[in-house]
Amino acid sequence: MREINDRMKLRFAPSPTGYLHVGGARTAIFNLLHARRYGGTMLLRIEDTDAERSRQHHAEQIVASLEWLGVAWDEGPIYQSDRIDRYRQRAIELVERGGAYRCHCTVEELEREREEAEKDGRSYRYSGKCRSAADRGESREEERFVVRFRVPPGPVDFDDLIRGPVHFEGETIDDFVVLRSDGHPTYHLSVVVDDIDMGITIVARGDDHLSNTPKHILLFRAFGAEPPQFAHLPLILGSDRKRLSKRTGATSAEEYREMGILPDALFNFLLLLGWSPGGDREILTREEAIEAFDLRDVHKAPAVFDADKLVWMNGQYLSRKPPEEIVPHLEPFLTVAIDDGERLLRVIRLNQARGRTLRDLAELIAPYFVDDETIAYDDEAVKKHLKGADVTRRLDALLEAFSALGEWNEAAAEAALRKLAEGEGVSAAKYIHPLRVALMGVGNSPPIFDVMIALGRERTLRRLRRLLEQLPLG
Ligand code: GLU
């Protein structure tokens, strides 16, 4: 039986400084699946306290991308910019408890200290000047100050759900700023205040945050709170084995959406970046993923983002999905007006295994819906299939036979064509190839009788007549 922990709470906490990065999307998916697996909840928090870099439209875009991906969080979105007073209040509380102090050092002073350290070849640490003054009970009345956290001595150890035991020496952690002189919190403060206030029990985030975690653990303790469990997700590398970046391809969920990737396929693909259900299983439904996923099984080693595999996987999803479910995803890519929804479903069914993206599929579908007068005949196909006097005679015979068909279905159409070929003593291909060019303009398509039915009688006959009027071509 599945273990249930309804106190369990995870969160995804993006900073709205750009589109939803695929790394962020994976973090969101892992948070969601772990919460679902154990009956916990997931919260969405927008970390927008950095007014210079955060943008409301990025936040909205991230929310929209998560919705598109089907990352259905339970609580939020909560905007940190709505909680600035709370962070300030908690910083003051920390000062009152002696866990932090006001620092009046100016930027210039700190710069000088940094330069001196560099000159002496020491790594820079804050001198602790204001900490000592605070220890002596000196207080200054100046308006301008930052609040620094008083880092307690000793190492910080924790058990990471993915990496196992992690150890940080105390000396590596400097007295860091928690509240800036403009009264805005730093990331360290807002993230810990929120994780406490919101009852977060597991923090799963990218391992670029690993060096922040000891600071956060110390802050949790200073507030008298039990630190959550941490899970640091391995990096995602590009095909060049370097950190995934624009250089090697698209990096945002939005770009993949625009390329014609289905949300389910992207979800499935990201799920396998650093996790595997075991065996060589690769295509999983969400329910199967929820059953099998556990943050503790995420790999330590970086994952490599293989965009070709994503496109392959998308093709798998596209070929398996019921056409009705494809329609809403396909609509933004359609370049032709759809006159008949039933006919669209039929055309999707005929073509869904032939394209790898929604863009491909939209392209494959267009010829079925374009105006018959606009069909263009591909040069290669013309050269191969429309040369010789026989072609006109055969297409004429097809036009006549199809016009006389009582029932418009695949079997009837095929029987009529085969009868003509047999009567002439040639292979059916001699009729099928020119017919295909007449109907689709190109040399390949799904089975031609299926195409005819998907086009309907009127269009089929019109397209045959139109080509006949233009023959000989080229
Ligand atoms: N806002 C941080 C980021 O986007 C994540 C913070 C966290 O998960 O603790 O990198």
Side-chain angles (χ1 to χ4, degrees), residues 11 13-15 47 187 191 203-205 208-209:
R11 88 295 196 274
S15 304
E47 304 210 317
Y187 157 65
V191 83
V203 169
R205 58 186 174 197
D208 46 333
H209 285 291

Side-chain angles (χ1 to χ4, degrees), residues 187-328:
Y187 157 65
H188 304 305
L189 179 68
S190 52
V191 83
V192 172
V193 168
D194 279 353
D195 286 340
I196 296 173
D197 284 355
M198 296 165 196
I200 300 302
T201 62
I202 299 179
V203 169
R205 58 186 174 197
D207 69 3
D208 46 333
H209 285 291
L210 186 63
S211 63
N212 292 326
T213 299
K215 296 179 181 169
H216 298 177
I217 289 176
L218 293 172
L219 271 173
F220 276 100
R221 291 188 190 143
F223 282 121
E226 175 78 26
Q229 285 186 293
F230 288 92
H232 289 93
L233 309 176
L235 268 181
I236 299 180
L237 305 180
S239 50
D240 56 357
R241 308 273 151 166
K242 294 201 184 111
R243 205 192 160 110
L244 189 65
S245 76
K246 284 268 162 217
R247 263 178 304 109
T248 43
T251 54
S252 70
E254 186 58 27
E255 284 166 282
Y256 287 101
R257 176 186 189 160
E258 281 165 16
M259 247 179 237
I261 298 293
L262 287 162
D264 286 355
L266 184 58
F267 190 103
N268 192 150
F269 173 78
L270 293 174
L271 172 62
L272 302 180
L273 290 183
W275 180 80
S276 143
D280 45 20
R281 231 167 77 192
E282 291 200 298
I283 308 278
L284 282 91
T285 63
R286 277 178 208 220
E287 292 65 35
E288 287 166 341
I290 291 169
E291 282 293 320
F293 187 81
D294 193 308
L295 279 170
R296 287 170 289 202
D297 299 331
V298 171
H299 312 152
K300 291 192 190 76
V304 177
F305 191 100
D306 176 352
D308 293 339
K309 182 168 171 186
L310 170 56
V311 172
W312 168 80
M313 190 171 273
N314 199 60
Q316 296 292 308
Y317 270 85
L318 212 49
S319 59
R320 293 174 196 203
K321 239 189 196 337
E324 307 76 55
E325 288 178 28
I326 294 179
V327 172

Side-chain angles (χ1 to χ4, degrees), residues 31-270:
N31 272 288
L32 177 79
L33 292 177
H34 196 85
R36 290 285 171 274
R37 163 91 190 258
Y38 291 105
T41 48
M42 178 190 163
L43 171 124
L44 173 62
R45 186 170 72 217
I46 305 292
E47 304 210 317
D48 58 347
T49 56
D50 183 343
E52 266 179 25
R53 298 180 59 226
S54 303
R55 295 284 174 272
Q56 178 62 23
H57 70 267
H58 288 316
E60 283 161 15
Q61 178 68 54
I62 290 172
V63 169
S65 288
L66 290 169
E67 281 171 345
W68 171 76
L69 252 185
V71 176
W73 62 91
D74 305 294
E75 218 184 296
I78 295 175
Y79 284 79
Q80 285 193 325
S81 54
D82 290 337
R83 293 172 46 79
I84 302 293
D85 289 344
R86 172 69 180 153
Y87 307 131
R88 206 171 292 155
Q89 173 205 344
R90 290 292 260 170
I92 293 165
E93 227 175 274
L94 213 50
V95 172
E96 283 165 0
R97 289 194 202 190
Y101 55 91
R102 293 178 178 203
C103 173
H104 302 275
C105 295
T106 60
V107 177
E108 295 73 34
E109 273 176 90
L110 296 174
E111 216 21 69
R112 213 173 316 122
E113 281 182 14
R114 187 184 300 277
E115 276 165 18
E116 267 164 35
E118 259 170 37
K119 221 165 43 205
D120 302 350
R122 285 179 286 126
S123 62
Y124 172 71
R125 285 178 63 86
Y126 172 56
S127 68
K129 193 171 128 200
C130 292
R131 175 185 192 151
S132 314
D135 287 346
R136 290 193 300 273
E138 294 172 20
S139 72
R140 286 162 60 175
E141 284 313 311
E142 284 113 296
E143 286 287 299
R144 260 191 107 67
F145 62 87
V146 300
V147 174
R148 275 186 196 273
F149 182 63
R150 182 191 294 274
V151 173
V156 180
D157 289 280
F158 65 96
D159 240 323
D160 190 276
L161 287 174
I162 297 167
R163 303 175 147 243
V166 179
H167 174 83
F168 281 92
E169 288 300 337
E171 297 78 65
T172 57
I173 313 166
D174 212 358
D175 280 3
F176 54 91
V177 174
V178 291
L179 197 70
R180 299 181 212 282
S181 57
D182 63 1
H184 268 69
T186 61
Y187 157 65
H188 304 305
L189 179 68
S190 52
V191 83
V192 172
V193 168
D194 279 353
D195 286 340
I196 296 173
D197 284 355
M198 296 165 196
I200 300 302
T201 62
I202 299 179
V203 169
R205 58 186 174 197
D207 69 3
D208 46 333
H209 285 291
L210 186 63
S211 63
N212 292 326
T213 299
K215 296 179 181 169
H216 298 177
I217 289 176
L218 293 172
L219 271 173
F220 276 100
R221 291 188 190 143
F223 282 121
E226 175 78 26
Q229 285 186 293
F230 288 92
H232 289 93
L233 309 176
L235 268 181
I236 299 180
L237 305 180
S239 50
D240 56 357
R241 308 273 151 166
K242 294 201 184 111
R243 205 192 160 110
L244 189 65
S245 76
K246 284 268 162 217
R247 263 178 304 109
T248 43
T251 54
S252 70
E254 186 58 27
E255 284 166 282
Y256 287 101
R257 176 186 189 160
E258 281 165 16
M259 247 179 237
I261 298 293
L262 287 162
D264 286 355
L266 184 58
F267 190 103
N268 192 150
F269 173 78
L270 293 174

